[in-house]
Amino acid sequence: MDNADIDWKNLAFAYHRTHFNIRYTWRDGAWSEGILTNDETIPLHMAATCLHYGQECFEGLKVFSSQDGEALAFRMNENAHRLARSCKKILMEPPPPGLFKEAIFKVVRANADFLPPYGSGASLYVRPLVIGTGPRVGVKPAGEYLFLVFVTPVGPYFKTGFKPVPLVVEENMDRAAPLGVGDVKVGGNYAAGMKASMNARKGGYADVLFLDAKHKRYIDESGPANFFAIRDGQYITPESHSILPSITNKSLVTLASEFGLDAVRRQVEIEEIFTFQEAGCCGTAAVITPVSYIDWRDRRAIYCRGEQAGPVCTELYNRLLAIQTGDAPDTHGWVTRIPLD
Ligand code: PLP
Ligand code: COI
């Protein structure tokens, strides 16, 4: 278990064993001290609510190496708050933001030699999760919870990296109901979307584009990422109660405005795909993944031919990466330096 075998420049988005994960237990009304362990498994009661009733949520954030070897976490406070929101929505005990920060700091420091080097294109992906561990047979919240954080060094989510990928519009399966849990990061949303995503991959697409479940008329998001498009100086991204509020997307809205685009959140009709000049998926794992074309029914909306992303996607990608790696000044207070010693 060391990092000697890692080819940093060709890392996939996959689990890689590291030294330690950190765990906290909520029991009798209080969170325990954090325990760093090298155990990759969890002892679990067979009637735990996470196994039966889906009491589970998670987060994803990235830590980057700066040119002078510092560990820079991107917008981790936003992840802390979203995790708490997810917990509350499915009646789990939310880890307080201070505990979240302590966990990230400790687990990153304990795995410092798995932080990919500056310039490798890779980063340390941090995966916090909360699960209901207390036993229940009736449908009600658990009395005990586990908050665990592990890390894994990763490359790009879509294996092409910053190269355009095709999407297909999914009309026969929904990811999330309008008043359901699509706006929080609970595991059930991914179970709901998995079949559609796998079908899309079998069909040669990188992923799907889900439509709103009620009208089947507006764009929601992709399987693991939000959607945005560029048209006539506008950055357009869907407004919907059933999509995850992406921290990357929120950052791109700010960056797009800064370089003169008009950033607009609104319902986006699926028919509009034929009017966009560029399109992209965005998220922690996906970063910005430009979209080459979108297939909808028997029609195709094409944004790029070949491997060249559009100019606005490229500019946004470069600006985002520069802030994340400390190459550009952090004027918004998005970056947290994690002490490694
Ligand atoms: N939408 C879904 C369904 C996701 O799983 C993710 C990934 O976290 C995103 C959007 C992007 O969110 P963020 O930019 O906060 O990572
Ligand atoms: C992320 O971008 O962090 C995600 O959680 C997306 C996916 C890997 C589920």
Side-chain angles (χ1 to χ4, degrees):
M1 191 198 15
D2 61 31
N3 67 13
D5 60 326
I6 299 180
D7 177 4
W8 300 109
K9 283 197 188 301
N10 292 301
L11 264 182
F13 188 86
Y15 177 75
H16 192 291
R17 185 167 191 176
T18 59
H19 301 306
F20 293 106
N21 59 86
I22 190 162
R23 301 164 185 211
Y24 301 76
T25 305
W26 190 84
R27 187 178 292 138
D28 300 328
W31 286 103
S32 69
E33 294 289 308
I35 295 173
L36 280 166
T37 170
N38 60 12
D39 191 350
E40 292 174 288
T41 64
I42 305 170
L44 199 56
H45 195 289
M46 62 189 173
T49 59
C50 64
L51 296 177
H52 300 260
Y53 304 130
Q55 268 203 308
E56 188 277 347
C57 67
F58 66 99
E59 270 305 324
L61 62 131
K62 278 179 175 169
V63 179
F64 298 82
S65 282
S66 72
Q67 198 155 10
D68 29 12
E70 289 190 318
L72 305 179
F74 187 67
R75 303 198 79 170
M76 56 177 278
N77 297 339
E78 294 278 339
N79 295 93
H81 287 113
R82 193 170 62 189
L83 185 73
R85 214 166 51 76
S86 299
C87 286
K88 287 180 193 157
K89 190 147 182 180
I90 58 168
L91 302 185
M92 299 201 295
E93 188 61 29
L99 197 80
F100 184 92
K101 182 177 172 192
E102 174 193 291
I104 307 297
F105 272 42
K106 285 189 172 170
V107 77
V108 169
R109 188 165 48 205
N111 294 291
D113 48 338
F114 285 96
L115 180 65
Y118 173 82
S120 62
S123 56
L124 191 67
Y125 185 70
V126 182
R127 175 52 70 84
L129 60 135
V130 178
I131 57 173
T133 48
R136 295 275 189 232
V137 177
V139 182
K140 57 181 178 176
E144 288 182 18
Y145 293 91
L146 172 71
F147 168 45
L148 185 154
V149 187
F150 71 80
V151 298
T152 180
V154 296
Y157 186 78
F158 294 111
K159 55 180 182 292
T160 48
F162 189 65
K163 300 248 180 73
V165 299
L167 299 180
V168 60
V169 177
E170 173 58 63
E171 292 197 278
N172 299 314
M173 281 181 268
D174 296 322
R175 172 186 171 274
L179 300 177
V181 291
D183 62 336
V184 289
K185 208 163 166 62
V186 298
N189 290 334
Y190 298 83
M194 211 177 272
K195 188 170 179 185
S197 290
M198 290 306 130
N199 284 349
R201 279 183 216 174
K202 272 188 229 148
Y205 302 97
D207 219 301
V208 288
L209 199 53
F210 287 108
L211 298 183
D212 79 285
K214 190 169 178 180
H215 307 97
K216 291 283 165 80
R217 174 172 167 195
Y218 304 105
I219 297 176
D220 253 1
E221 63 177 329
S222 179
N226 275 187
F227 176 81
F228 69 88
I230 307 298
R231 183 177 63 207
D232 301 335
Q234 284 198 324
Y235 176 97
I236 302 165
T237 193
E239 175 93 74
S240 163
H241 292 300
S242 48
I243 65 176
L244 191 74
S246 156
I247 297 160
T248 313
N249 200 3
K250 189 173 169 183
S251 311
L252 294 179
V253 163
T254 303
L255 296 180
S257 308
E258 278 175 5
F259 86 91
L261 294 179
D262 182 16
V264 189
R265 277 187 198 274
R266 60 163 172 81
Q267 287 184 312
V268 180
E269 303 248 4
I270 184 62
E271 284 280 353
E272 291 185 66
I273 59 173
F274 300 104
T275 68
F276 298 142
Q277 286 128 14
E278 293 181 46
C281 293
C282 63
T284 298
V287 195
I288 290 179
T289 304
V291 175
S292 50
Y293 60 84
I294 301 174
D295 279 350
W296 178 45
R297 299 181 181 164
D298 56 354
R299 298 164 73 193
R300 175 167 293 183
I302 300 177
Y303 307 109
C304 18
R305 298 177 195 278
E307 300 206 326
Q308 191 62 43
V312 179
C313 282
T314 306
E315 181 71 31
L316 286 172
Y317 179 87
N318 289 338
R319 284 183 183 230
L320 180 66
L321 255 290
I323 296 173
Q324 290 176 325
T325 56
D327 285 349
D330 175 29
T331 54
H332 304 286
W334 288 346
V335 171
T336 304
R337 187 185 151 271
I338 299 181
L340 295 179
D341 41 34

